Structure formats: C-alpha cells, structure tokens
Amino acid sequence: MAINWLGIFQALLILVVGLVAARLLSRTVSRAIGKRVGVHQSTLIQRFVFYFLAALIIASSLHQLGFKLGVLLGAAGILSVAIGFASQTSASNLISGLFLLAERPFQIGDTIKVADNTGEVLAIDLLSVKLRTFDNLFVRIPNETMVKSQVTNFSRFPIRRYDLQLGVAYREDLARVRKVLLDIAERNPLCLQEPKPLVIFQGFGNSSVDLQLSAWVRRENFLDLRNSIPDEIKTAFETHGIEIPFPHLSLYTGSETQPFPVRTTQSPPADGHAGDPASSGNDIEGEGGAQR
Amino acid sequence: MSDTSQWFGQFNLEPHHTRTWRVGPLSFWVNRAYHEWRLRVETGGDPYSPSVELDLFEERQADVEDRKVQRFLVSDESRRLDIGLLLPDRPIVSSPASPVSIPGGESVRFYLSYPLWVSLSAGDPGRTLTEFASYRLSDTWFGPNTREGMLCYATRSRCRLNVSDHPYLPYRAITPLVISNRAKDALPLDRVKLPVSSLSLYRSRGPGWLWTQDVTLLRQEGGDMAELQLGRGAPEEADAADLVAGARELSPRNAMVRAFSALF
C-alpha cells in the first residue's frame, strides 16, 4: 500500500498550525475578557477554548489521514471504559475537579487552608490544585482530596476577626480590664470600629480569669493587627498594673511541716548582682495564685 | 501668628534646604537634595491641636540612614513644591458621641468635620510624589452584614448644629449634612456614612475654612436607604470660596444609598 505522504504532511500541518492558532486564540479571548472577570474565570475560559479547539483540530487532522471519525468515536467509547477501570484515581480526580470548578469554593489567588497546608492557590487544574505555601513551597493536592477535605478560604470575605486569648489575675477588677482592652482596640487604627470589638469571658482558669479579645480587621491587615495588639496589651497592662499571671506552684508537705527553708550563700560579686534582694534567703511560698 | 490657613499651596525649595510643617497632629519635612526630594512624615499627635508651624532652613543632608525617610528621584532640578489637600480616599462613617435621633417629618442641618489628606507634587509641570493622611482614622465596616459592605473610616461627631461652635482646625474639612426624615417614625442616628470621595473641597476666601459642598440625605418611609443629593459648589456658610480639590470619584447626583445604619 502506497503511503500518502501528502496527506500525512497536510495532517501534520493542520495539527501544528491549528494548535498554535488555538493557543493564541485562547490567550486572546482570555485577555479580552480578563479585565471584566477574575483570574479564575479567565483561566477557565482560556482552557475551555483551547481544549475545544484542540479537539476539533485533532479530529480534522485524523480525518485528513483518512480515519473515519464515527468508527474512532465508537472505539474511543469502548476504550474509555477500559481506561476508566484502569485509571480510577485519575478519573476520580477529574470528576472531583469538575465539581470544584462548578462549586467554586475558592479561586486562583485566594489563600486557603487544606489539612495542614495553608497557602495561595496557584492553579485549579483538572487533576489537582496547586498551592504556594507561605514558606514558598509548592504543594500539589489531588482534587479528590480537596473534595473530601475541609477547606478554609481566608480570602472569601473582606474582613475577619482576630481572637486573642489572655488571662488576668483573680484579684483584678474585670470591668477595668475590659475597659482597658476595649480602649486598646479603639485606639488601634487597624482594628475596625464596626463590628465592635468584644471582650468575652471564657472561664475561671487554674491560675487566671480567662478572657478573649475579639477584634475585627481588614483581611490584608490581619497579620499587622495580630502583631500589634499583644504588644499594646502588654504595655497597657504594665501601665495600669494589671497582672497577666502564669501558673504558680506551691510546695507543701502536709500540715505537720514548716515551709522549706532556703538559704543562699553570698557568692563572689563577679557579675555585680550579688546584692540583689530578690535572691536573699526566703522560704518558698506561693505568689498569690491558687495553691495546688 | 501668620495666616495659618496658608500651610498648603505652592512653595519653592532651594537645593539643600528643608521645609518643615507641623500642622495639628501631623508633622512632616521635605528636603530638596541633588535630583531628589526627601520626605519624612509623622502622624499621631493630638488630633484636635490647632497649632500650625512652618519652618525653613538650609541643610545639606548626607546619605539617608533613617528608614522612615522616603526618597523621590527626579530628573529635573525644579524647586517647585506643591502641597495639596485632598478629601479621604474612603467614605467616612460618623457616629454621634451621644445618642441622637431625628423625629419623623423633621429636617436638620448639622456639621461633620474630619481630617484631610495631604498630597505632594514637585517639578514643573508637577508630578505627584505621594499622598498621606494628616491623621490616621480607624478603619470601620459599613454594611448589612460582615459579608457585604464596604471599608470606611470611622469618626465620632458631636453633630453640631451651629457652625460657630466648631473650632477652626486648618487640616480638617467641614461638610454640612442635611438629613430630612420623611418617614413617620424617628430616625435613630447611630451612624451615618458620608461619601467624601465623591465630594469636592473648597476654601473660603476670608477666614480660610475648608468646606465641602453640602450633602442631603432624604430618608424615605421604611428601611435605612436614603436618597443622596450633593450640592453644587461651596456651601452657603463658606460665602466666597475657591476650589481646592475636585472629587476623587464621580458619583450620581441623586442616588439611593445605604447611609444610616449597619444592620448587624
């Protein structure tokens, strides 16, 4: 049988030129609509246009080679069943990817958390989602995992709440503490005035009365607020004499014994702190906290 | 004291000279170096301080070590420096310092004041170097819930009905706000949103006060939506006035806006 070199050449020409043209056309369409829709949608449309054109080009290229497309499609149907059984994982990822595209729980550029991975979405492909974590690692998560996992999207809403847990000593006036905390939130320009910041009572802890300061912040300023508020609280508490207690430990050996005597010996004044009154002889006692 | 309202406008700055401005809570200096302008801004002083101090001195600055100094590199050696005033870049949500409500059928005119932004341009023709707030206002959210709404700046207002009660502060603008409650029920004024980025800034020729055109909010029956009407030109209180800065963005002259309350 004579080989139809001209037909092969024409088919190759259609394939190469067609694919290049499809690539250019899909990019042009994406750029044209990119200003009106987001990155996510324009990427999706670009891919859809490219795959659609590529399918047409491959079909016409095969037609040029003399294949009958009806027979090919029938064979492809049988083949796809066989391939489907052989590649269940890929098929599952593919279908999960379609669900993800339809459901749109996040978009390209969003910051999401999946299991232990938090990062920016680089791409949502048919088989996987690609993330760039904040320590600049590339993470590929299969779409099937994405569908099964709990996904937290940090970029969906423009504002979010920062919750800071803190404890104050039992002797403190809680109304005063509450006022100091709310004043801090009001003075910090990053902290939104509305919704109003809250101080929530969390419980009587082992060593402290536990509170939560909840302040709303613009999404982009979240890290700045998270870093600035604790500093301001510490400074304000020091200024107002409010104690942030830490767990205290009292040693007690029963009612029959006296507190353990501890004596220090005068060490040579090598570092100039030998006369520190805090290091003079004292019995060990609890410092006001709960005795356990 | 010299005319304190003249702290903005056109200035000349010779090479290796520094001008300083201390205007209320804001202080900044600009230094003209060889093919560059240097700027250092500090805010956070008393937000109601009326003091204005300008100074000029010769200073040959060596390499910049201070990281708070911004450098703007330019090709020309023009000495012209323009200090402009702008209205804030986001709407302002003003909450009355004490509860205020307007009975049904009433129409009141009161005054809201808020700090302005400063813009720096250099050269001839002027090229914008930067802009910054004379006092950093707190962020706030205005909308029906935490998902829908917009970021604004927050201020507290005494809702003064008499303009003469307002202290003169040369870095703050005053907007006359008319609220007409056409509903039968009283309107509790928890907060009101002022679309300042759609307003223009004027300076009255006499005393130098800074004004925007007046804003009218017509509250209809039911809900928190209001019809927004912006006045044309400086308000009547300004008497004769010159335009200082146009609106940052255009807005429809009559529009229904959510102006009074956030619903959460």
Side-chain angles (χ1 to χ4, degrees):
Chain A
M1 192 177 107
I3 299 171
N4 182 4
W5 290 107
L6 184 64
I8 293 172
F9 176 73
Q10 283 177 336
L12 278 176
L13 195 67
I14 289 170
L15 196 67
V16 172
V17 174
L19 287 178
V20 170
R23 176 73 70 189
L24 287 174
L25 191 67
S26 62
R27 278 187 191 171
T28 310
V29 170
S30 171
R31 275 183 203 156
I33 59 166
K35 288 173 187 170
R36 275 172 284 171
V37 297
V39 183
H40 181 77
Q41 286 90 343
S42 67
T43 310
L44 276 182
I45 290 166
Q46 180 183 343
R47 283 195 189 135
F48 177 77
V49 170
F50 178 74
Y51 290 139
F52 179 72
L53 292 175
L56 285 182
I57 289 157
I58 290 167
S60 58
S61 179
L62 289 172
H63 182 69
Q64 189 64 37
L65 285 172
F67 289 99
K68 289 186 176 168
L69 289 179
V71 178
L72 269 181
L73 286 174
I78 298 164
L79 197 64
S80 64
V81 173
I83 291 172
F85 278 113
S87 57
Q88 279 183 13
T89 310
S90 301
S92 169
N93 279 326
L94 195 74
I95 292 165
S96 301
L98 293 176
F99 277 118
L100 279 180
L101 292 176
E103 192 187 355
R104 291 178 58 198
F106 49 81
Q107 301 189 38
I108 293 170
D110 283 1
T111 301
I112 62 168
K113 181 181 180 187
V114 186
D116 293 334
N117 297 303
T118 304
E120 177 196 357
V121 178
L122 295 179
I124 306 167
D125 292 331
L126 283 178
L127 293 180
S128 64
V129 170
K130 276 92 175 178
L131 291 188
R132 184 192 71 82
T133 62
F134 292 132
D135 49 351
N136 215 26
L137 301 178
F138 181 86
V139 180
R140 177 189 178 278
I141 304 171
N143 284 339
E144 193 184 357
T145 312
M146 296 292 295
V147 169
K148 286 178 181 169
S149 307
Q150 178 178 314
V151 178
T152 307
N153 188 343
F154 295 106
S155 306
R156 176 59 70 91
F157 303 128
I159 56 173
R160 60 183 290 199
R161 199 175 82 173
Y162 169 57
D163 292 336
L164 176 69
Q165 317 286 339
L166 75 161
V168 294
Y170 270 87
R171 66 164 178 263
E172 302 298 346
D173 177 359
L174 288 186
R176 183 164 153 264
V177 173
R178 196 179 293 266
K179 185 175 181 310
V180 168
L181 289 173
L182 292 177
D183 281 350
I184 290 166
E186 189 173 346
R187 276 200 306 273
N188 190 319
L190 301 178
C191 177
L192 300 185
Q193 302 290 306
E194 295 277 346
K196 290 188 191 311
L198 294 171
V199 176
I200 302 167
F201 173 76
Q202 294 287 73
F204 294 111
N206 291 334
S207 306
S208 60
V209 179
D210 297 332
L211 302 171
Q212 175 178 302
L213 173 66
S214 297
W216 288 82
V217 62
R218 193 179 168 187
R219 193 178 68 214
E220 294 84 351
N221 293 336
F222 184 82
L223 205 58
D224 290 339
L225 186 80
R226 188 176 164 171
N227 284 329
S228 61
I229 281 267
D231 286 357
E232 290 166 15
I233 288 176
K234 189 165 182 301
T235 308
F237 276 13
E238 282 167 4
T239 307
H240 290 85
I242 297 170
E243 184 192 353
I244 301 178
F246 48 86
H248 292 163
L249 181 67
S250 295
L251 292 182
Y252 182 61
T253 56
S255 60
E256 300 302 319
T257 65
Q258 295 295 316
F260 292 120
V262 175
R263 292 190 181 83
T264 57
T265 55
Q266 193 74 27
S267 57
D271 55 358
H273 290 89
D276 185 352
S279 64
S280 62
N282 274 318
D283 294 343
I284 293 177
E285 290 183 54
E287 294 183 25
Q291 293 198 348
R292 303 183 65 196
Chain B
M1 192 167 67
S2 60
D3 184 1
T4 55
S5 69
Q6 285 300 338
W7 64 274
F8 58 92
Q10 188 182 325
F11 296 85
N12 280 325
L13 202 50
E14 299 293 327
H16 308 299
H17 278 67
T18 300
R19 269 190 188 278
T20 63
W21 285 259
R22 277 184 285 277
V23 185
L26 168 71
S27 60
F28 65 99
W29 61 248
V30 180
N31 173 258
R32 180 61 161 130
Y34 178 70
H35 283 298
E36 69 177 271
W37 295 87
R38 294 172 181 173
L39 168 70
R40 194 179 195 286
V41 182
E42 277 188 27
T43 55
D46 177 8
Y48 298 103
S49 165
S51 69
V52 175
E53 292 174 37
L54 275 63
D55 204 359
L56 171 68
F57 51 89
E58 189 171 354
E59 181 185 38
R60 184 175 289 273
Q61 289 192 348
D63 290 342
V64 178
E65 301 288 343
D66 187 350
R67 291 185 65 82
K68 288 185 178 175
V69 173
Q70 296 178 67
R71 299 171 64 200
F72 302 94
L73 310 183
V74 292
S75 58
D76 65 12
E77 293 182 54
S78 169
R79 293 156 188 184
R80 181 174 165 172
L81 177 70
D82 286 294
I83 308 290
L85 290 183
L86 293 169
L87 287 158
D89 59 348
R90 282 191 232 142
I92 283 184
V93 174
S94 191
S95 307
S98 52
V100 170
S101 63
I102 299 170
E106 279 289 350
S107 182
V108 290
R109 182 182 182 92
F110 57 92
Y111 301 91
L112 299 178
S113 152
Y114 43 86
L116 290 165
W117 284 48
V118 177
S119 72
L120 254 68
S121 308
D124 194 7
R127 292 186 179 83
T128 302
L129 303 181
T130 185
E131 61 178 59
F132 48 87
S134 62
Y135 183 77
R136 173 75 165 89
L137 292 170
S138 270
D139 289 340
T140 193
W141 182 252
F142 191 88
N145 53 49
T146 53
R147 287 170 282 121
E148 303 162 43
M150 65 190 310
L151 275 164
C152 304
Y153 293 119
T155 63
R156 286 216 174 269
S157 167
R158 295 183 191 281
C159 296
R160 289 186 172 104
L161 298 169
N162 190 348
V163 72
S164 60
D165 293 340
H166 258 289
Y168 168 63
L169 297 170
Y171 50 89
R172 290 176 81 97
I174 301 175
T175 297
L177 176 64
V178 179
I179 295 183
S180 184
N181 183 10
R182 293 181 174 176
K184 287 176 186 160
D185 56 328
L187 171 66
L189 209 60
D190 295 333
R191 52 191 81 83
V192 60
K193 187 181 79 172
L194 207 56
V196 290
S197 46
S198 304
L199 303 180
S200 301
L201 183 66
Y202 300 89
R203 177 178 176 272
S204 62
R205 283 182 201 151
W209 286 47
L210 296 159
W211 294 91
T212 70
Q213 68 262 56
D214 43 37
V215 174
T216 304
L217 293 169
L218 304 174
R219 189 224 183 185
Q220 308 295 344
E221 195 73 54
D224 293 297
M225 301 299 282
E227 187 182 326
L228 169 72
Q229 294 178 355
L230 305 182
R232 294 177 188 275
E236 57 190 29
E237 292 87 344
D239 204 6
D242 300 312
L243 181 71
V244 175
R248 285 179 183 263
E249 60 186 41
L250 292 175
S251 79
R253 289 209 161 263
N254 296 305
M256 292 300 287
V257 292
R258 183 177 294 283
F260 294 122
S261 180
L263 296 180
F264 43 78

